[in-house]
C-alpha cells in the first residue's frame, strides 16, 4: 500500500464512488459503512460519482446504517455532480439537477456513433446490458454493458480492447461544449461543459461555506484524463487511492 502524509484536520471529506468507496457497480461493504458513520459523527461527507441516483441508492444508501442526525452531514452528487441531493427533514431533497435536453442527448448519441466509425471500434460480441445509458444529467458509455461482471471489467481495463482514449479524442471536436471523461474501468461519461467533479467541489464550497483548504478529496481516477482529475483545479487536497482497502486505511488513520 502506498504511504500518505498525515492528513490535516478537515471539515469535509469528498469521496469518489467506484473504486474508492466500493468496487465498480458493487455494494459498499459493512466495514466501509462503519467507517463512514464514524466520519459523519465528526464532519461533513460528500460522495461524487459517475453513477446516477438508483446506483447510489443500491451501492451506498441501502447499506448505510447512519442515523438521521448523521445523514444531515451527508451530501450526494450523482452523475459527476450534475445532480446534488441533501438529507433534510427526514428525506433526500434535490438541491439541483442539470438535466440534458432532448437535443443535447441526440448530439451526444450521434457523436458516439461517429467516433466509433472514425476509430474503427466494434462492440464486443457479448454484452451485459445497455452499452449507452441515458442518466438524465449524464450520458454514459460502458464498453461491456452496464451490468458486466467486475472480473471482466478488471481484465478489460487497460487491455488492447480498451480504446476509450481514442474514442474520446475523436469525440472532443464533435462535442466542444461538453465534458467527456474516462472514469472507472470501462466507461466514458458525458455532461455539460464545466460540469464535473471539480464543479461539485466548488458547489459544496459555495453552498455550505466550507473553505476548500478545509476539504479532502479521495479518489482512484486522479490521473490525467480521469474523471477525478478536475477536482485539482479547485486547489483541494486530493489523495489518490488504488482501491477500496486503501480508502479504508486512510479513514482509519484520520479517525485515530
Amino acid at each position: 500500500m502506498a504511504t500518505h502524509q498525515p492528513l490535516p484536520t478537515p471539515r469535509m471529506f469528498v469521496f469518489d464512488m467506484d473504486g474508492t468507496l466500493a468496487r465498480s457497480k458493487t455494494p459498499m461493504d459493512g466495514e466501509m459503512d462503519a467507517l463512514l458513520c464514524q466520519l459523519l459523527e465528526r464532519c461533513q461527507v460528500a460522495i461524487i460519482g459517475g453513477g446516477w441516483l438508483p446506483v447510489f441508492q443500491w451501492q451506498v444508501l441501502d447499506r448505510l446504517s447512519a442515523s438521521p442526525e448523521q445523514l444531515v452531514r451527508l451530501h450526494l452528487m450523482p452523475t459527476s455532480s450534475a445532480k446534488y441531493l441533501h438529507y433534510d427533514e427526514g428525506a433526500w431533497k434535490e438541491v439541483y439537477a442539470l438535466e440534458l435536453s432532448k437535443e443535447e442527448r441526440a448530439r451526444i448519441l450521434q457523436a458516439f456513433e461517429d467516433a466509433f466509425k472514425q476509430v474503427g471500434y466494434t462492440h464486443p460480441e457479448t454484452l451485459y446490458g445497455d452499452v449507452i445509458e441515458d442518466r438524465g444529467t449524464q450520458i454514459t458509455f460502458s464498453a461491456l454493458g452496464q451490468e458486466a461482471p467486475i472480473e471482466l471489467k478488471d481484465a478489460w481495463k487497460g487491455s488492447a480492447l480498451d480504446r476509450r482514449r481514442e474514442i474520446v479524442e475523436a469525440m472532443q471536436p464533435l462535442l466542444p461544449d461538453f465534458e467527456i471523461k474516462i472514469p472507472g474501468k470501462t466507461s466514458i461519461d458525458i455532461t455539460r461543459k464545466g460540469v464535473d467533479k471539480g464543479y461539485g467541489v466548488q458547489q459544496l464550497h459555495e453552498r455550505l461555506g466550507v473553505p476548500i483548504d478545509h476539504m479532502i478529496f479521495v479518489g482512484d481516477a486522479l490521473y490525467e484524463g480521469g474523471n477525478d482529475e478536475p477536482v485539482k483545479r479547485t486547489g483541494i487536497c486530493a489523495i489518490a487511492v488504488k482501491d477500496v482497502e486503501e480508502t479504508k486505511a486512510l479513514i482509519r488513520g484520520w479517525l485515530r
Side-chain angles (χ1 to χ4, degrees), residues 161-180:
L161 299 174
D162 185 353
R163 302 182 63 192
R164 288 178 294 170
R165 289 191 180 276
E166 295 174 65
I167 294 168
V168 168
E169 288 174 5
M171 293 183 75
Q172 284 172 337
L174 303 174
L175 299 172
D177 48 342
F178 291 87
E179 295 293 338
I180 309 174

Side-chain angles (χ1 to χ4, degrees), residues 211-231:
I212 297 289
D213 59 3
H214 286 239
M215 297 180 179
I216 291 177
F217 179 88
V218 182
D220 71 323
L222 284 159
Y223 48 79
E224 183 179 356
N227 74 336
D228 294 336
E229 183 192 25
V231 305

Side-chain angles (χ1 to χ4, degrees), residues 2 15 23 171:
F15 293 98
R23 296 180 71 192
M171 293 183 75

Side-chain angles (χ1 to χ4, degrees), residues 107-123 132 141 163-175 180 188 190:
R107 281 186 60 202
I108 293 168
L109 295 177
Q110 186 60 53
F112 268 116
E113 292 304 317
D114 292 345
F116 294 154
K117 291 177 183 177
Q118 182 176 326
V119 304
Y121 177 79
T122 56
H123 300 292
I132 297 179
F141 162 81
R163 302 182 63 192
R164 288 178 294 170
R165 289 191 180 276
E166 295 174 65
I167 294 168
V168 168
E169 288 174 5
M171 293 183 75
Q172 284 172 337
L174 303 174
L175 299 172
I180 309 174
I188 297 172
I190 301 182

Side-chain angles (χ1 to χ4, degrees), residues 11-213:
R11 287 172 55 186
M12 170 169 267
F13 271 99
V14 185
F15 293 98
D16 166 53
M17 174 76 87
D18 281 351
T20 302
L21 293 180
R23 296 180 71 192
S24 179
K25 294 289 184 71
T26 301
M28 181 178 69
D29 65 27
E31 184 180 11
M32 186 64 79
D33 167 34
L35 289 170
L36 285 182
C37 287
Q38 290 178 68
L39 274 186
L40 288 166
E41 277 292 313
R42 304 188 185 194
C43 62
Q44 306 269 354
V45 174
I47 303 173
I48 310 179
W52 59 338
L53 186 57
V55 174
F56 270 57
Q57 181 73 45
W58 175 65
Q59 282 190 283
V60 174
L61 296 183
D62 289 348
R63 307 283 171 157
L64 191 62
S65 59
S67 67
E69 292 75 22
Q70 293 170 329
L71 287 176
V72 297
R73 289 188 283 274
L74 180 61
H75 307 265
L76 302 180
M77 289 185 154
T79 53
S80 307
S81 81
K83 181 174 284 193
Y84 174 20
L85 299 104
H86 180 233
Y87 193 83
D88 184 41
E89 297 180 348
W92 287 100
K93 298 184 179 180
E94 191 175 277
V95 179
Y96 66 72
L98 307 176
E99 298 283 344
L100 296 169
S101 69
K102 181 179 178 181
E103 292 75 17
E104 288 172 322
R105 292 184 175 99
R107 281 186 60 202
I108 293 168
L109 295 177
Q110 186 60 53
F112 268 116
E113 292 304 317
D114 292 345
F116 294 154
K117 291 177 183 177
Q118 182 176 326
V119 304
Y121 177 79
T122 56
H123 300 292
E125 290 185 11
T126 302
L127 295 171
Y128 302 83
D130 294 335
V131 172
I132 297 179
E133 186 174 52
D134 183 347
R135 297 177 176 175
T137 51
Q138 176 177 285
I139 303 294
T140 296
F141 162 81
S142 295
L144 303 180
Q146 299 290 334
E147 308 303 326
I150 184 66
E151 295 77 13
L152 294 182
K153 294 165 77 171
D154 284 338
W156 190 88
K157 181 183 179 183
S159 72
L161 299 174
D162 185 353
R163 302 182 63 192
R164 288 178 294 170
R165 289 191 180 276
E166 295 174 65
I167 294 168
V168 168
E169 288 174 5
M171 293 183 75
Q172 284 172 337
L174 303 174
L175 299 172
D177 48 342
F178 291 87
E179 295 293 338
I180 309 174
K181 295 297 178 185
I182 299 175
K185 302 180 183 300
T186 66
S187 301
I188 297 172
D189 289 339
I190 301 182
T191 55
R192 286 198 184 124
K193 192 70 175 178
V195 180
D196 53 26
K197 293 185 180 181
Y199 175 86
V201 168
Q202 191 65 32
Q203 287 294 309
L204 292 168
H205 160 61
E206 293 175 3
R207 291 173 182 270
L208 302 177
V210 179
I212 297 289
D213 59 3

